Amino acid sequence: MPLATVVQDHGRLDGVQRVLFGGGLQFWLHRLLFLDALSYLSHGQLSLSLDRWILVDIDDIFVGERGTRLHEEDVAALLASQAALQRLVSGFRFNLGFSAKYYHHGTQLENRGDDSLLKHKDHFTWFCHMWNHQQPHLYNNVTHLEAEMMLNKQFAIEHGIPTNSSYSVSPHHSGVYPVHEPLYEAWRKVWDVKVTSTEEYPHLRPARLRRGFRHKGVMVLPRQTCGLFTHTLLLERYPGGRHRLDRSIQGGELFQTVINNPINVFMTHMSNYGNDRLALYTFESVVKFLRCWTNVRLASAPPLALAEKYFQLRPDELNPLWGNPCDDIRHRRIWSKSKWCGTLPKVLVIGPQKTGSTALYTFLAMHPSLAPNLPSPTTYEELQFFNNNNYLKGLDWYLNFFPPSLTNTTQITFEKSATYFDGDLVPRRAHALLPNAKIIAILISPSKRAYSWYQHIRSHGDPVANNYTFHTVITANDSAPKPLRDLR
Ligand SMILES: Nc1ncnc2c1ncn2[C@@H]1O[C@H](COP(=O)(O)OS(=O)(=O)O)[C@@H](OP(=O)(O)O)[C@H]1O
């Protein structure tokens, strides 16, 4: 055990209060003390709330090889553990995601386990996984995807499983991020999905840096792992041994995950609840450890309520930030084979407006080595993707202006939108998708640009520009009428 080398300096000598950590932050208790020290020294301004929300998803209900599935006793243990957790985590219920195609695909004893889950269905909350546990990005046909989802729904209706959770999880995170539009469409239509969760946005560790976003009315929550995966069945085979799992629980990664995240959606699988029931051990242990060493208030709530809470806390995350799926090998694997990324622009002409950007675009497009995007029906040659709500239509919307047929192998694609130059969101968005793109900005005399702009809006019928001379507009002072000041 490292020595507790945290010292408080009241600052009597120089008036600066300090908390000094001599032993580093590797020791888990020091990390807690560090958070407390931040709160103490900032007089509460840098404090995290003590409320922590936990949702434990059990994916792959009914899925699994014979020999890895639940027996009746496992279901009884699941219920007992849930009851124990409910005493420590208010409102706690395991959240079961089912793939009905594999119902009754086990041994006789395991099939009784399936029946026992259904018998106690009202004790749990439920959500749809895919009927056949297939990855949605493998379906390019939305009708086919909907038909698969309908089979799962049919099963739910027949067996009295509630269908109104508005939540779903996709096998292997496929189709959630990078976005597979048919999945979002089918989810909304068949299951009225409003919430999902993924580990892939962005795909990085530590998990606490993952974010959420909203797309096409579906709120995507970041998903946490607890160190158990489909194949984690026996304690003696736990990678790194029991000691490693216990370390994660007792102040290590799992413990810190709950400390760092107000809202935690944990991913587990049905197989983690059979055999050695490692998930029950893990969650009961971490909850007891949290209750023993901290004052956090643990609670659970249905996914929709958690998502609403999450985005109240983090409204800045609602708008997504699209990356290039081809930049991440794992994302490429869960992205449709019919998608492409090689034609994404390598050059962006960003304006500003009225600097001759259309002329430059036209000249560039004439060059045999360059290929512009297809025109937009509404904004012509400009896609205006990064600066406005077109961005929220998703990456597919943008990509469709750069079909693979657009170029031959030697051509470089480019895009010009003069509105990019002064769009606040453009640098971050463009960098996320096209980090290596060359940027062209055209700078001309500001007065010439302003005059051209004035003429432009006059020709579009702007009443202010039509009522005032250019000189009046640019010389308007702060006491001028507001419309005039705005135009200035
Ligand atoms: N080759 C060349 N060199 C310099 N300037 C040129 C060129 N071609 C067009 N123009 C002038 O550029 C003005 C239009 O700019 P944009 O195409 O950027 O306008 S827009 O923002 O796309 O509406 C517009 O300016 P004004 O005529 O002063 O309004 C064009 O005349």
Side-chain angles (χ1 to χ4, degrees):
M1 165 85 76
L3 291 173
T5 49
V6 184
V7 176
Q8 182 183 355
D9 171 357
H10 289 288
R12 294 210 180 103
L13 202 62
D14 59 4
V16 180
Q17 292 192 50
R18 302 172 180 84
V19 176
L20 303 164
F21 286 80
L25 296 175
Q26 289 311 311
F27 179 39
W28 65 272
L29 205 46
H30 282 183
R31 292 186 185 202
L32 286 189
L33 289 172
F34 179 70
L35 292 178
D36 277 353
L38 280 180
S39 170
Y40 171 74
L41 291 174
S42 69
H43 303 286
Q45 305 236 9
L46 297 177
S47 282
L48 291 174
S49 150
L50 288 174
D51 291 321
R52 295 291 181 281
W53 301 84
I54 294 179
L55 180 72
V56 179
D57 286 353
I58 310 182
D59 290 1
D60 295 359
I61 292 292
F62 306 132
V63 185
E65 298 292 313
R66 286 170 169 224
T68 67
R69 302 163 62 113
L70 302 191
H71 293 191
E72 269 176 298
E73 307 84 75
D74 298 318
V75 178
L78 184 66
L79 285 161
S81 179
Q82 176 168 278
L85 283 165
Q86 277 167 354
R87 288 191 280 278
L88 303 170
V89 183
S90 78
F92 183 84
R93 275 176 179 219
F94 284 110
N95 195 29
L96 273 49
F98 63 101
S99 295
K101 181 178 178 185
Y102 303 102
Y103 171 65
H104 273 187
H105 271 48
T107 62
Q108 236 176 14
L109 284 179
E110 290 171 338
N111 290 348
R112 291 225 286 271
D114 287 359
D115 291 335
S116 185
L117 281 173
L118 290 180
K119 187 171 150 205
H120 297 101
K121 59 184 181 292
D122 296 333
H123 292 266
F124 307 114
T125 53
W126 293 76
F127 64 92
C128 67
H129 216 30
M130 282 288 281
W131 179 73
N132 56 2
H133 203 256
Q134 186 68 276
Q135 299 178 324
H137 77 273
L138 301 176
Y139 297 80
N140 284 318
N141 178 331
V142 70
T143 321
H144 195 175
L145 200 48
E146 283 170 15
E148 295 279 346
M149 289 187 189
M150 275 312 294
L151 290 171
N152 224 24
K153 190 162 184 179
Q154 210 59 48
F155 177 90
I157 293 166
E158 276 163 24
H159 291 84
I161 294 174
T163 55
N164 58 355
S165 76
S166 302
Y167 181 63
S168 183
V169 168
S170 167
H172 307 281
H173 312 276
S174 146
V176 177
Y177 187 83
V179 165
H180 187 55
E181 297 290 351
L183 172 65
Y184 283 70
E185 207 178 309
W187 261 350
R188 285 310 305 255
K189 198 157 159 198
V190 180
W191 283 95
D192 192 25
V193 169
K194 297 190 179 90
V195 189
T196 183
S197 56
T198 184
E199 286 174 24
E200 299 295 328
Y201 179 76
H203 173 207
L204 52 69
R205 295 190 77 82
R208 72 186 149 80
L209 297 180
R210 292 178 197 144
R211 299 189 301 268
F213 67 99
R214 184 178 54 191
H215 182 61
K216 302 276 163 80
V218 177
M219 292 178 277
V220 182
L221 290 173
R223 198 161 162 78
Q224 314 297 336
T225 46
C226 59
L228 305 176
F229 302 93
T230 30
H231 52 273
T232 331
L233 309 177
L234 302 168
L235 193 49
E236 66 179 28
R237 297 226 197 109
Y238 188 82
R242 176 188 189 134
H243 177 65
R244 180 136 179 252
L245 178 59
D246 284 341
R247 214 173 44 206
S248 172
I249 293 166
Q250 295 164 12
E253 181 166 346
L254 179 55
F255 173 83
Q256 297 292 342
T257 300
V258 181
I259 293 298
N260 285 309
N261 291 299
I263 292 170
N264 298 272
V265 181
F266 283 108
M267 181 179 73
T268 65
H269 297 91
M270 183 175 82
S271 52
N272 308 135
Y273 295 81
N275 299 282
D276 276 356
R277 301 173 191 156
L278 284 181
L280 299 183
Y281 169 73
T282 302
F283 284 104
E284 282 191 42
S285 307
V286 77
V287 162
K288 284 181 193 155
F289 198 82
L290 282 157
R291 292 289 300 253
C292 175
W293 286 92
T294 74
N295 289 320
V296 291
R297 292 181 289 268
L298 298 170
S300 189
L304 188 55
L306 286 187
E308 279 160 3
K309 213 175 278 295
Y310 183 90
F311 289 109
Q312 263 166 21
L313 290 172
R314 309 226 160 118
D316 53 308
E317 289 186 17
L318 267 172
N319 283 344
L321 193 63
W322 309 124
N324 182 348
C326 295
D327 288 347
D328 183 318
I329 191 161
R330 179 154 156 176
H331 284 173
R332 193 74 189 91
R333 262 190 237 129
I334 52 172
W335 202 38
S336 169
K337 292 270 177 292
S338 66
K339 293 284 159 205
W340 58 94
C341 48
T343 52
L344 276 169
K346 299 195 172 47
V347 177
L348 284 182
V349 181
I350 60 169
Q353 288 175 289
K354 312 317 293 179
T355 56
S357 64
T358 313
L360 178 63
Y361 166 90
T362 311
F363 300 146
L364 291 176
M366 288 161 75
H367 196 286
S369 300
L370 294 169
N373 51 277
L374 297 178
S376 145
T378 48
T379 48
Y380 313 107
E381 84 279 7
E382 296 203 354
L383 299 182
Q384 301 183 357
F385 178 63
F386 295 108
N387 64 301
N388 74 15
N389 285 345
N390 285 335
Y391 190 77
L392 304 182
K393 292 177 181 163
L395 182 56
D396 282 9
W397 182 88
Y398 189 56
L399 271 176
N400 284 333
F401 291 100
F402 299 93
S405 56
L406 192 70
T407 61
N408 61 43
T409 46
T410 57
Q411 281 176 314
I412 292 172
T413 45
F414 74 97
E415 196 228 326
K416 183 284 276 197
S417 293
T419 47
Y420 287 166
F421 184 85
D422 58 345
D424 293 347
L425 300 169
V426 174
R428 192 158 174 252
R429 287 173 169 182
H431 181 259
L433 185 64
L434 310 168
N436 300 314
K438 304 276 186 241
I439 310 285
I440 298 178
I442 310 163
L443 303 180
I444 63 168
S445 154
S447 55
K448 281 191 183 151
R449 204 204 74 82
Y451 186 68
S452 177
W453 176 248
Y454 171 80
Q455 295 297 353
H456 174 100
I457 55 173
R458 266 172 78 94
S459 70
H460 283 79
D462 183 281
V464 188
N466 277 324
N467 280 337
Y468 295 95
T469 64
F470 179 63
H471 184 263
T472 313
V473 174
I474 57 164
T475 55
N477 59 28
D478 288 348
S479 57
K482 186 169 182 315
L484 197 50
R485 277 184 282 130
D486 289 346
L487 186 56
R488 177 188 63 176

